[in-house]
């Protein structure tokens, strides 16, 4: 670790930036964090409607019991006691019926043959117990799951999920990514009391209490490096740093960092692929999923959303997991989907998107009526899910860029793990150690 005090700039006050800042300030360094939005949190940020005691995530979030990195940093900050782990009910919608998907007695009655059920269960245990899965990245999840789980189970359970998640690229995603999804999951899911935004705000306050400065509504205009030191321009003013950590999307990194796009590193960044996320959040007057299901996986048979029975991938009744009293007795329902950034969902008006998603809600509850909707919100993020193809580990740019003193850490680099706040913590702390150890 460097002995001298460093002046460090961080672009982005999401979980990665806040976690790195925590280690910087604890090591005695000077830290400035710049966030374009009006609140900290990035993709994990939330909102609060009038009358709600808790905030609600713009895009659904939860933690797993296996998420050790978020636990460790919250414990260090004295915040872990605010985390609760109820066990929700997660299910599949298959042939017009709801089947519970996690381990339970109902798993014995899945709509596949007993042989397929046993085969699927055994290979599921294999993936869960496998300590490292990076060796699986030379094979696609499509081929591995089909050959190991069998066509019947694959077609019923995994094919619809892959299509729903990755659309036209579903056959190209590697198996290491799928292994990580299985490995990380737990039956109980965690939530910070007050919502994720409350946890992010609390983390930000802990970082600020140690001396860091956080500037909200402060988008970076440009990154340069005169005199071999990184600089950022904010609201027309240039700030000079010894080290700079950028936590933006690949596209924004290339736009901000002058000269990076013409380097081999920049080309590697440009070649990274991702898809976007769309969430329509409904505040309903009555429960939609009356069987208690929290997360309902919906089938997708085509990457063309217009040909599928459902126009989105997952229906999440949040208040079947968290008590609706936190939301002034609103029943909170997410309708979420992953689509490319050029998909029509990103150009449709909010009203049209709400109407399209709401049109299938009667499918889940025959009593549903339009007047159940008290309010609805639309949230869209063009950079939300990296697309990891075969041998993806060889395609990931290093955390240290060729620009003097500039580092980049994003969800594209947590592979093989899926994007999420736990792995954002690990990434932020890993890059912080690199930056402090760098003698350049």
């Amino acid at each position: 670790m460097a002995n001298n005090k460093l002046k460090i700039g961080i672009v982005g006050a999401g979980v990665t930036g806040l976690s790195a800042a925590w280690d910087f300030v604890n090591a005695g360094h000077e830290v400035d964090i710049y966030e374009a939005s009006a609140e900290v949190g990035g993709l994990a940020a939330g909102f609060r409607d009038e009358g709600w005691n808790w905030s609600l995530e713009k895009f659904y979030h939860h933690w797993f019991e296996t998420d050790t990195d978020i636990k460790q940093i919250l414990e260090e900050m004295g915040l872990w006691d605010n985390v609760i782990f109820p066990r929700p009910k997660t299910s599949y919608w298959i042939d017009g019926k709801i089947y519970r998907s996690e381990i339970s007695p109902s798993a014995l009655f899945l709509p596949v043959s007993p042989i397929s059920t046993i085969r699927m269960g055994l290979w599921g245990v294999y993936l869960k117990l496998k300590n490292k899965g990076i060796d699986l990245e030379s094979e696609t999840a499509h081929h591995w799951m089909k050959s190991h789980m069998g066509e019947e189970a694959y077609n019923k359970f995994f094919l619809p999920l892959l299509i729903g998640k990755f659309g036209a690229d579903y056959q190209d995603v590697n198996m290491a990514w799928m292994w990580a999804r299985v490995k990380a999951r737990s039956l109980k899911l965690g939530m910070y009391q007050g919502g994720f935004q409350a946890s992010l705000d609390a983390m930000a306050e802990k970082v600020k209490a140690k001396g860091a400065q956080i500037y909200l509504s402060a988008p970076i205009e440009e990154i340069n490096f005169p005199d071999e030191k990184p600089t950022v321009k904010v609201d027309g003013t240039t700030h000079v740093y010894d080290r700079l950590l950028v936590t933006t999307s690949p596209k924004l990194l290339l736009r901000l960092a002058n000269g990076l796009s013409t380097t081999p590193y920049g080309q590697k960044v440009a070649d990274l692929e991702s898809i976007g996320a769309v969430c329509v959040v409904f505040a309903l007057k009555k429960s939609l999923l009356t069987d208690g299901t929290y997360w309902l996986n919906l089938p997708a048979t085509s990457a063309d959303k217009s040909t599928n029975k459902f126009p989105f991938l997952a229906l999440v009744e949040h208040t079947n997991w968290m008590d609706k009293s936190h939301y002034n007795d609103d029943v909170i329902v997410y309708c979420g989907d992953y689509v490319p950034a050029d998909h029509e969902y990103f150009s449709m008006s909010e009203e049209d998107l709400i109407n399209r998603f709401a049109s299938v809600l009667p499918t889940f509850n025959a009593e549903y009526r339009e007047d159940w909707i008290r309010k609805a919100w639309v949230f869209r993020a063009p950079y939300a899910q990296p697309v990891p193809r075969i041998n993806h580990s060889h395609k990931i740019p290093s955390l240290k860029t060729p620009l003097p003193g500039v580092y980049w850490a994003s969800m594209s680099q947590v592979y093989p793990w899926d994007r999420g706040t736990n792995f954002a913590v690990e990434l932020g702390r890993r890059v912080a150690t690199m930056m402090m150890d760098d003698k350049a």
Side-chain angles (χ1 to χ4, degrees), residues 146-202:
K146 189 184 225 180
S147 60
H148 289 74
M149 301 288 189
E151 286 207 28
E152 184 184 19
Y154 175 74
N155 290 335
K156 279 282 187 184
F157 297 102
F158 305 105
L159 175 62
L161 294 180
L162 281 171
I163 292 177
K165 187 91 167 183
F166 294 103
D169 297 317
Y170 80 94
Q171 293 190 52
D172 301 324
V173 174
N174 75 55
M175 187 59 200
W177 175 86
M178 179 65 81
W179 162 82
R181 294 274 294 182
V182 174
K183 183 69 176 177
R185 293 189 173 274
S186 62
L187 294 178
K188 292 182 178 180
L189 303 179
M191 168 62 72
Y192 194 90
Q193 296 184 74
F196 264 64
Q197 189 63 59
S199 71
L200 296 161
D201 290 340

Side-chain angles (χ1 to χ4, degrees), residues 92-93 96-98 287-291 296-299 309-315 317 333-335 357-368 372:
Y92 288 101
W93 180 272
K97 295 181 179 180
I98 291 178
S287 175
L288 192 69
L289 301 178
T290 56
D291 72 322
L296 184 59
N297 292 298
L298 303 175
K309 179 178 179 62
F310 301 107
F312 47 87
L313 169 67
L315 189 147
E317 188 160 324
V333 171
Y334 285 90
C335 298
F357 282 19
S359 68
V360 299
L361 297 186
T363 309
F364 309 104
N365 189 325
E367 296 181 2
Y368 169 83
W372 283 19

Side-chain angles (χ1 to χ4, degrees), residues 9-11 223 244-248 253 256 406-410:
I10 299 177
V11 181
I223 297 172
L244 182 67
L245 172 60
V246 183
T247 65
T248 68
L253 170 71
L256 292 176
V406 179
Y407 292 73
W408 179 54
S410 74

